[in-house]
Amino acid sequence: MHNFERFLTEIGWDPSTVAVFSDFDGTLSAIQPDPASVVPIPGIAERIDRLAERLGRVAVVSGRPVSFLQGFFSERVELSGLYGIEHWAHKRLLVDHTAIDWLPAIRTTVSRAVDEFGEAAVENKKYSLTLHHRGSTDPELPKRMEEWVLERADLIGLEARVARMSFELHPPIHRSKADAVADMLQGIESAIYIGDDVGDRPAFQLISALLDEGALTSGAAILVRSDETDPSLERVTTDAIDGPEAVPALLDRILETIGSE
Ligand SMILES: [Mg+2]
């Protein structure tokens, strides 16, 4: 936790130049077999809110739609949804306009996916969709899903992505969590990004690159490890903690450092 410790020594001077960015699933919440039933780890939302009150920027950066995240966090917390396609701040939702053109194609693909794999396996994210095979007893399912996803992607011009126990189809809009974070760095001198999954890789890489270049004075790319962690993420992160259960203590270290007013 070398980088994080250094980050703590830098942030007391001017909290308005400090940012905390975090993924949601598997980072602020434990992974559940049913993605709809996922909720934050107890005490997390309160800590995120207190940080948002004191720091320059606090944002949850997720592949989920903003509408899902809004239920958990106060209005002080910025929400970046669908890998940066949606951005919610100061009670306003901004949507990348090119995503809107893809709505009909996504809707059609969702209903085809439900026909093929059943309602429980399909998560409709409005501007994208996710097919989950977590908890399935059919050993052939991941392969079948992958083939179906690649075929659909090819046919309609959507992009296929592999995620934790799932496959995703996205419009060919090249937004990533790194773009979402980059848009929130104005006036920021110290920043951490916390995440657990391959979808967080671009954001991890961004933070590491900005630290190398000296564009950030201090910061950390913090991996939340689990049994399912892709080992290659160890190479693009600077620090690591074990599971979302360790996140409240991490946030407490920041809160203790900046003091509560
Ligand atoms: Mg995650």
Side-chain angles (χ1 to χ4, degrees):
M1 296 296 282
H2 179 75
N3 271 64
F4 181 68
E5 296 299 332
R6 238 205 87 202
F7 167 79
L8 289 179
T9 65
E10 298 277 346
I11 62 175
W13 310 105
D14 185 1
S16 72
T17 64
V18 178
V20 169
F21 304 112
S22 178
D23 168 49
F24 182 72
D25 288 83
T27 300
L28 302 183
S29 64
I31 298 285
Q32 301 289 340
D34 173 13
S37 69
V38 168
V39 294
I41 296 276
I44 284 259
E46 294 83 340
R47 286 170 173 86
I48 293 283
D49 178 55
R50 280 166 59 207
L51 286 171
E53 199 178 358
R54 301 276 286 117
L55 299 181
R57 221 123 189 195
V58 173
V60 177
V61 184
S62 175
R64 299 260 201 181
V66 158
S67 58
F68 178 84
L69 302 168
Q70 273 173 326
F72 305 122
F73 299 99
S74 77
E75 282 175 352
R76 270 195 278 264
V77 181
E78 286 185 61
L79 303 172
S80 173
L82 307 172
Y83 301 94
I85 288 177
E86 295 181 332
H87 187 88
W88 193 86
H90 313 296
K91 302 185 189 176
R92 277 180 61 208
L93 179 69
L94 299 177
V95 180
D96 184 311
H97 67 276
T98 47
I100 293 167
D101 299 339
W102 284 92
L103 279 174
I106 296 291
R107 227 176 285 139
T108 310
T109 311
V110 165
S111 69
R112 281 175 183 266
V114 169
D115 290 347
E116 189 76 23
F117 301 105
E119 200 134 10
V122 183
E123 187 183 356
N124 182 355
K125 291 180 170 174
K126 192 171 174 185
Y127 298 99
S128 70
L129 66 141
T130 304
L131 299 186
H132 297 273
H133 54 82
R134 179 185 306 279
S136 165
T137 50
D138 174 5
E140 299 294 314
L141 184 63
K143 176 114 189 66
R144 206 157 58 81
M145 260 186 189
E146 185 175 20
E147 282 169 3
W148 189 89
V149 160
L150 291 175
E151 188 194 296
R152 286 287 116 189
D154 220 34
L155 209 65
I156 311 170
L158 293 169
E159 269 183 18
R161 294 183 199 167
V162 181
R164 256 169 93 161
M165 301 285 164
S166 60
F167 298 98
E168 301 176 349
L169 280 166
H170 293 264
I173 299 167
H174 294 110
R175 295 277 296 168
S176 73
K177 290 188 176 189
D179 299 309
V181 169
D183 285 348
M184 293 186 272
L185 285 175
Q186 203 174 2
I188 296 301
E189 285 169 19
S190 294
I192 59 168
Y193 184 91
I194 318 169
D196 73 305
D197 197 359
V198 289
D200 300 306
R201 187 192 310 273
F204 286 143
Q205 286 170 324
L206 175 70
I207 295 290
S208 297
L210 293 174
L211 286 170
D212 287 347
E213 288 165 17
L216 285 175
T217 314
S218 73
I222 304 174
L223 178 62
V224 179
R225 285 197 193 108
S226 76
D227 301 342
E228 296 171 4
T229 301
D230 183 321
S232 72
L233 291 174
E234 300 274 355
R235 289 200 295 274
V236 294
T237 46
T238 62
D239 301 75
I241 54 173
D242 289 320
E245 304 75 21
V247 173
L250 183 96
L251 301 182
D252 281 342
R253 299 282 314 279
I254 304 172
L255 286 164
E256 284 158 18
T257 306
I258 56 177
S260 50
E261 268 168 27

